[in-house]
Amino acid sequence: MHIRIRQALVKGLLMVLTGLALSSCETVQTTQAGVVGVDRKQMMAVSSEQIDQASRQTYAKLVAQERGKGTLDRDPAQVNRVRAIANRLIAQSGAFRPEARNWQWEVNVITAPEVNAWCMPGGKIAVYTGLIEKIQPTDDELAAVIGHEIAHALREHARERASEQAMAGTGISILAAVAGLGDIGQKGMEYAYMGLLGLPNSRRHETEADRIGVELAARAGYDPRAAITLWQKMGQAGGGAPIKFLSTHPSREDRVADLTVYAQRVMPLYEQSRRR
C-alpha cells in the first residue's frame, strides 16, 4: 500500500509540475520557416531580455579579457576576412527573423588553438584562430560555420535550453524530495532527464542550425554544399567520433546526409544570389 501511495503521489506531483511549467511558459515562433522549413514552436520559461543581458555582459567581459591578453583581433587579415563573411550572412538574417538586422552584432577573432566558433544570443560572434589554421576552410566553408552559429542565435537555442533546465531542475528537486528518493535518486532522475530530453534536444538544435545555416549561406552567395566538405574536414581533424547515443551533436554520417539534402534544396537561392 505504501508503494502504491508513493506511486500515486509521484504521478500526481508530476501532473502538477507539468501544469505549473506549462503555465509559466510561453510558446513562441522565434523564426520564420525559410526554404528549409524549420518551423518548430518553442516553449520558453526564461525571457529573451534576461538571456540577452547575460549575453552582453558575458561577451563584454570575455572581449576585455582577450584584449588584455593580446589575443583579440591580432591578425587584421583574418579579422577582415571573418567580418566580411559574417556581415554578408547577417544581411540575410531577415529571411528568418526581420528584427535581427537591428541587433547589435559584434564579430571578433580570438587567438586560441581550439577549433571553435560561436554566436551568443543577440549576435555576439567569436571565431577562434584554431579553426582557421587547423581546418583551413575556404570562404564558403567558413560561411557554413558562421551561418550555423548565427542560426543558433536566431532560433534562441540558448534561451530554450535555459528554459528547459530551469523547469527540469525545479521539478526534479521537488519530486525527489517528496518521493523520498534522496541524493542518489535525484541524480538518477537528472541523468534520465538528460538522456530522454536534454541530449536529444541538443541534437535537434544542431540539426536546425545546420539547415538554417546552409540557407543563410546560399542567400549570401556562398555555396551551401561547402557545409558538407566542412564537416568532412572537421571529422578528419577531430579523430574518433563520440558515441552517437550520448552525443549532443548528430553523428558525422547523419549530419552529412542531412546537409546533402538541404544544401540541394537551397541551391536555387545560391544560383539566384550569384546572378545579382
Side-chain angles (χ1 to χ4, degrees):
M1 178 64 72
H2 179 69
I3 294 176
R4 290 182 179 178
I5 293 174
R6 176 175 293 183
Q7 288 174 338
L9 179 61
V10 169
K11 184 176 180 181
L13 186 56
L14 275 173
M15 294 176 65
V16 172
L17 289 172
T18 300
L20 288 173
L22 291 175
S23 66
S24 65
C25 283
E26 59 173 331
T27 302
V28 300
Q29 187 77 41
T30 55
T31 60
Q32 298 173 9
V35 171
V36 292
V38 175
D39 59 358
R40 177 180 63 89
K41 292 185 178 179
Q42 296 157 279
M43 296 289 290
M44 302 296 193
V46 178
S47 72
S48 59
E49 290 78 12
Q50 289 174 301
I51 294 295
D52 288 348
Q53 181 180 4
S55 173
R56 288 192 298 270
Q57 293 173 347
T58 301
Y59 192 77
K61 182 178 180 179
L62 183 145
V63 165
Q65 289 174 344
E66 297 298 332
R67 183 179 290 112
K69 294 187 296 184
T71 54
L72 184 74
D73 300 333
R74 179 183 291 177
D75 185 332
Q78 286 182 339
V79 174
N80 290 338
R81 181 190 179 203
V82 168
R83 286 179 176 170
I85 293 171
N87 287 338
R88 284 173 58 177
L89 294 165
I90 291 166
Q92 302 302 320
S93 62
F96 288 95
R97 190 163 181 161
E99 72 272 20
R101 294 192 187 100
N102 299 322
W103 287 359
Q104 298 301 308
W105 294 89
E106 295 184 54
V107 184
N108 289 289
V109 177
I110 296 173
T111 299
E114 291 88 355
V115 177
N116 195 18
W118 40 261
C119 180
M120 286 185 181
K124 310 302 184 185
I125 298 172
V127 175
Y128 288 57
T129 56
L131 185 150
I132 298 171
E133 293 165 359
K134 294 178 182 178
I135 301 299
Q136 295 289 310
T138 65
D139 283 0
D140 292 320
E141 290 169 343
L142 191 51
V145 174
I146 300 173
H148 172 96
E149 298 305 327
I150 288 174
H152 280 307
L154 295 176
R155 286 290 290 165
E156 295 192 62
H157 285 152
R159 180 185 172 200
E160 188 175 13
R161 287 195 302 273
S163 297
E164 292 165 358
Q165 291 166 4
M167 290 186 293
T170 300
I172 288 171
S173 297
I174 296 173
L175 184 58
V178 174
L181 298 177
D183 292 340
I184 295 177
Q186 180 169 341
K187 183 60 64 176
M189 291 178 68
E190 290 171 356
Y191 284 135
Y193 166 75
M194 285 300 296
L196 295 174
L197 182 59
L199 295 183
N201 272 356
S202 294
R203 289 193 288 268
R204 178 167 60 186
H205 290 173
E206 289 299 313
T207 298
E208 288 181 349
D210 278 348
R211 294 175 183 179
I212 291 175
V214 295
E215 181 165 339
L216 288 173
R219 289 180 179 275
Y222 294 106
D223 191 336
R225 296 168 295 188
I228 300 167
T229 59
L230 167 73
W231 288 109
Q232 290 169 339
K233 285 184 178 181
M234 288 283 198
Q236 293 167 359
I243 299 173
K244 178 180 176 181
F245 182 72
L246 296 178
S247 174
T248 59
H249 289 58
S251 70
R252 281 203 306 273
E253 294 78 10
D254 287 352
R255 183 166 236 158
V256 169
D258 193 74
L259 284 168
T260 299
V261 171
Y262 283 88
Q264 192 60 42
R265 183 176 295 186
V266 298
M267 280 299 291
L269 295 175
Y270 172 56
E271 297 296 342
Q272 181 180 355
S273 68
R274 294 179 68 191
R275 290 194 293 269
R276 290 201 294 264

